[in-house]
Amino acid sequence: MNKTLIFLAYILFLGCKEQTKPIADISVTDTKNEKVEKPSETFGIVIHGGAGTILKKNMTPEKEAAYKAKLEEAIKVGHTILKNGGTSLDAVQKTINILEDSPLFNAGKGAVFTNTGKNELDASIMDGSNLDAGAVAGVTTVKNPINLAREVMINSPHVMLSGAGAEQFATERNLKIVDPTYFYTEDRFKSLERVKEKEKIATKTTAFYDPMIKDAKFGTVGCAALDKNGNLAAGTSTGGMTNKKWNRIGDAPIIGAGTYANNATCAVSSTGWGEYFIRAMVAHDISALMEYKGLSLQEAATLVIQKKVPDLGGDGGIVAIDHKGNVAMEFNTAGMYRATMNTEGEIKIGIYKTQE
Ligand code: ASP
């Protein structure tokens, strides 16, 4: 065999070695002294309830306490599932359900209003173990859109359904259907009226800087989780933006923009100005920076949220967890409702950018 062939065989050998590298990061020696892969006991969960101009001076102590309590209730649901050996997909879905059922967040019950006074909901979910995904856009009668997204992923040959077809599928799958009036909340309706008033007198430039009009875009909920088997999942659910027109769809149901999960890298859920998050492919970009450039989760999240998105003119944030349980909660707005819990059960809840 000549030298070139030996060299090529060696390169091939190295390549194969690289591919068998454990994803779960933990390998133990069994009784026969052979190396076997065992699932890691590490797990973790991180959630957001939207990013925006959330300032302490505009918050009452009661309101702040209500947000923190709901974030805590939601994350504990997911954490318990993970602690008991449940899947990251279940943790993501059930955690988001709590936030969807609360009028505090712009998802499910607290969804914002469209320009014509309706509520059109978007959601998506992704399974990092096989890159399977499901998404729905513009549904008006499905109580928990994240459940429908998961149904699309599991029980349909498609990835994304919208409008009337998505609702028909929801009925066929026996999901909870509600009258559209279920989504009415006085607060959100008043926001619509205020934004419309502002819009009447705003020029293109003042509209861009008006916090009321700008923040008409925020308030989504999302979750990313790692289970004990090393599987990552992420999900996002939203009412979109107040005063949205023409069946506008944001980033939340777009796989790669609002939601992404890949066991080899991380799971991400976004919240922010959807138009920019779609253009920057935020969630997938963070994963790709880890996969192709070797960045850590925090480095990738910082680059995308503090540079790429604002360079385009957008704002918002993400929550993410990597396959080792590291968490990122990165945002470029004044605040982001957020919480995280780790294997040890330590909980961190935050609202503002500066120390709480
Ligand atoms: N990203 C969502 C959208 O543009 C809004 C949000 O995150 O609050 O629809």
Side-chain angles (χ1 to χ4, degrees):
M1 210 186 295
N2 68 29
K3 274 188 186 157
T4 319
L5 269 177
I6 293 171
F7 180 69
L8 281 175
Y10 180 66
I11 294 289
L12 209 65
F13 168 73
L14 282 184
C16 291
K17 257 179 82 172
E18 188 56 30
Q19 272 173 20
T20 55
K21 211 167 118 191
I23 280 174
D25 190 52
I26 296 263
S27 55
V28 291
T29 307
D30 77 358
T31 44
K32 283 180 251 147
N33 264 349
E34 283 169 344
K35 275 212 150 191
V36 291
E37 296 310 319
K38 289 259 168 68
S40 156
E41 279 297 300
T42 302
F43 64 95
I45 182 164
V46 59
I47 62 175
H48 69 76
T53 313
I54 309 165
L55 297 167
K56 201 169 176 85
K57 67 174 176 101
N58 299 333
M59 191 75 92
T60 62
E62 295 75 31
K63 219 173 155 191
E64 193 179 298
Y67 273 106
K68 285 187 170 170
K70 195 47 85 174
L71 288 169
E72 183 171 342
E73 179 192 338
I75 200 158
K76 282 187 169 166
V77 166
H79 189 267
T80 305
I81 292 171
L82 297 169
K83 195 175 161 191
N84 294 336
T87 66
S88 49
L89 275 173
D90 278 346
V92 164
Q93 181 185 353
K94 301 292 178 201
T95 300
I96 289 181
N97 284 164
I98 302 288
L99 301 169
E100 284 179 331
D101 291 346
S102 163
L104 291 174
F105 303 97
N106 172 18
K109 175 67 188 158
V112 298
F113 284 87
T114 67
N115 176 261
T116 56
K118 291 184 183 154
N119 308 96
E120 293 174 355
L121 314 173
D122 304 331
S124 64
I125 195 162
M126 186 158 184
D127 182 346
S129 71
N130 54 12
L131 305 188
D132 213 351
V136 292
V139 293
T140 56
T141 62
V142 179
K143 181 168 176 274
N144 294 104
I146 195 73
N147 297 2
L148 182 55
R150 192 166 176 190
E151 282 292 332
V152 172
M153 175 171 84
I154 297 168
N155 289 312
S156 90
H158 307 301
V159 168
M160 190 171 190
L161 301 182
S162 70
E167 311 225 331
Q168 187 189 329
F169 180 67
T171 310
E172 286 172 21
R173 296 303 310 166
N174 289 320
L175 292 197
K176 181 115 180 95
I177 301 297
V178 290
D179 189 89
T181 54
Y182 164 80
F183 298 108
Y184 178 89
T185 54
E186 203 185 329
D187 270 9
R188 300 294 191 203
F189 197 74
K190 280 189 179 154
S191 296
L192 173 66
E193 289 175 332
R194 283 199 300 267
V195 172
K196 280 180 150 181
E197 271 314 304
K198 283 264 179 187
E199 213 185 31
K200 269 189 215 156
I201 51 168
T203 63
K204 241 187 157 180
T205 319
T206 58
F208 191 84
Y209 293 107
D210 189 312
M212 168 85 63
I213 296 177
K214 252 182 107 182
D215 279 348
K217 297 167 184 71
F218 300 121
T220 297
V221 307
C223 178
L226 168 70
D227 65 30
K228 288 183 179 178
N229 286 320
N231 289 323
L232 288 164
T236 311
S237 183
T238 189
M241 59 184 277
T242 305
N243 199 30
K244 63 185 180 182
K245 297 166 190 151
W246 312 297
N247 301 117
R248 176 261 189 193
I249 295 167
D251 60 313
I254 309 289
I255 297 301
T259 299
Y260 195 74
N262 180 346
N263 274 10
T265 54
C266 62
V268 185
S269 171
S270 310
T271 174
W273 196 332
E275 279 67 13
Y276 292 94
F277 276 59
I278 293 173
R279 290 168 55 203
M281 272 285 121
V282 165
H284 181 263
D285 203 33
I286 291 171
S287 168
L289 284 164
M290 292 176 71
E291 189 171 3
Y292 305 132
K293 241 186 157 189
L295 264 54
S296 71
L297 175 63
Q298 188 54 57
E299 287 167 347
T302 305
L303 178 59
V304 173
I305 295 301
Q306 305 302 349
K307 174 106 185 82
K308 290 191 162 190
V309 171
D311 279 0
L312 286 177
D315 55 0
I318 58 96
V319 294
I321 186 164
D322 72 11
H323 60 281
K324 292 180 180 164
N326 298 309
V327 160
M329 299 184 282
E330 195 62 35
F331 53 100
N332 57 33
T333 48
M336 180 170 78
Y337 299 106
R338 60 197 185 277
T340 181
M341 269 182 101
N342 61 14
T343 316
E344 287 72 41
E346 290 158 353
I347 183 164
K348 279 188 207 150
I349 302 179
I351 298 181
Y352 316 105
K353 187 165 227 156
T354 47
Q355 284 300 312
E356 313 298 316

